[in-house]
Amino acid sequence: MSDPSRKIEAVVFDVGNVLVRWDRRLPYENHFADPAELERFLDEVIPLSWHAQHDAGRPAAEMVAERSAQFPEHADLIADWFTRFNESIPGPVPGSPELVEQLHRAAVPLYAITNFGADTWTGFAPTFPLLNRFRDIVVSGVEKLAKPDPAIYALAVRRFGHAPGAMLFVDDSEANVVAARDCGWQAHHFTGAEDLRADLMQRGLLA
């Protein structure tokens, strides 16, 4: 088990809904006059379980082709899931970029583990310069491993070069936080920048 009293050597961030907001409804809101139809499209045509296949390493082109054959009446909208993906990321989570910059100025090593498709990551990463503050980023779609699989945390330990208990992992998913703790990491369940700031201050990472 992790030991909260242990000194933290590095902070490891999730990306979606920790550093940047993500709302998969945004590219589609103008296509559906009836909110119920939008929800039905999201739940039945491009459900989160389908999206998770991309996070786990499946190529976007293969997924779009297969799904379009299954729902030909929605082929254009299914294609938009990939071609307009960046529209689902409307901007940073309030307060989070400032915390990253403060940690960087304090010379705290920064890393990230994100569930993100390899194809969509290629399109998104250049639009978010804050990622340059991170020494290394483990992207699930590239590695074909996704949180909360313990294997992705083990990979991060090897890549980042710090012991699990010496890293603080920050994620908005409780399941991912629990998995990290089970792997011996320190972890913070992210609900907002102010609570994270308080935790970082309590741990002596920020003044």
Side-chain angles (χ1 to χ4, degrees), residues 113-133:
I113 306 173
T114 181
N115 279 0
F116 218 114
D119 302 313
T120 46
W121 181 258
T122 297
F124 161 71
T127 73
F128 195 50
L130 188 73
L131 296 174
N132 294 327
R133 297 304 192 194

Side-chain angles (χ1 to χ4, degrees), residues 71-181:
F71 297 97
E73 70 277 17
H74 292 304
D76 289 345
L77 295 181
I78 294 169
D80 282 347
W81 164 79
F82 175 62
T83 59
R84 299 178 61 192
F85 181 82
N86 281 1
E87 294 178 37
S88 69
I89 304 174
V93 171
S96 288
E98 290 82 0
L99 292 180
V100 169
E101 293 292 0
Q102 290 170 28
L103 289 166
H104 175 71
R105 287 195 296 270
V108 176
L110 299 173
Y111 303 91
I113 306 173
T114 181
N115 279 0
F116 218 114
D119 302 313
T120 46
W121 181 258
T122 297
F124 161 71
T127 73
F128 195 50
L130 188 73
L131 296 174
N132 294 327
R133 297 304 192 194
F134 294 83
R135 299 185 181 192
D136 195 2
I137 301 174
V138 170
V139 179
S140 66
V142 174
E143 306 301 336
K144 296 181 171 54
L145 293 171
K147 297 176 291 185
D149 186 341
I152 197 169
Y153 299 99
L155 172 65
V157 169
R158 295 194 298 272
R159 287 258 294 266
F160 301 164
H162 299 271
M167 292 188 283
L168 177 65
F169 176 65
V170 181
D171 200 300
D172 66 304
S173 163
E174 186 172 2
N176 295 343
V177 166
V178 169
R181 287 177 177 152

Side-chain angles (χ1 to χ4, degrees), residues 48-61:
L48 282 172
S49 58
W50 179 75
H51 174 89
Q53 295 177 35
H54 191 44
D55 287 350
R58 195 174 180 201

Side-chain angles (χ1 to χ4, degrees), residues 11-12 16 41 48 53 63 97 104 106 114 152 188 194 197:
V11 179
V12 182
F41 171 77
L48 282 172
Q53 295 177 35
M63 292 175 60
H104 175 71
T114 181
I152 197 169
H188 174 93
E194 286 309 307
R197 179 188 299 277

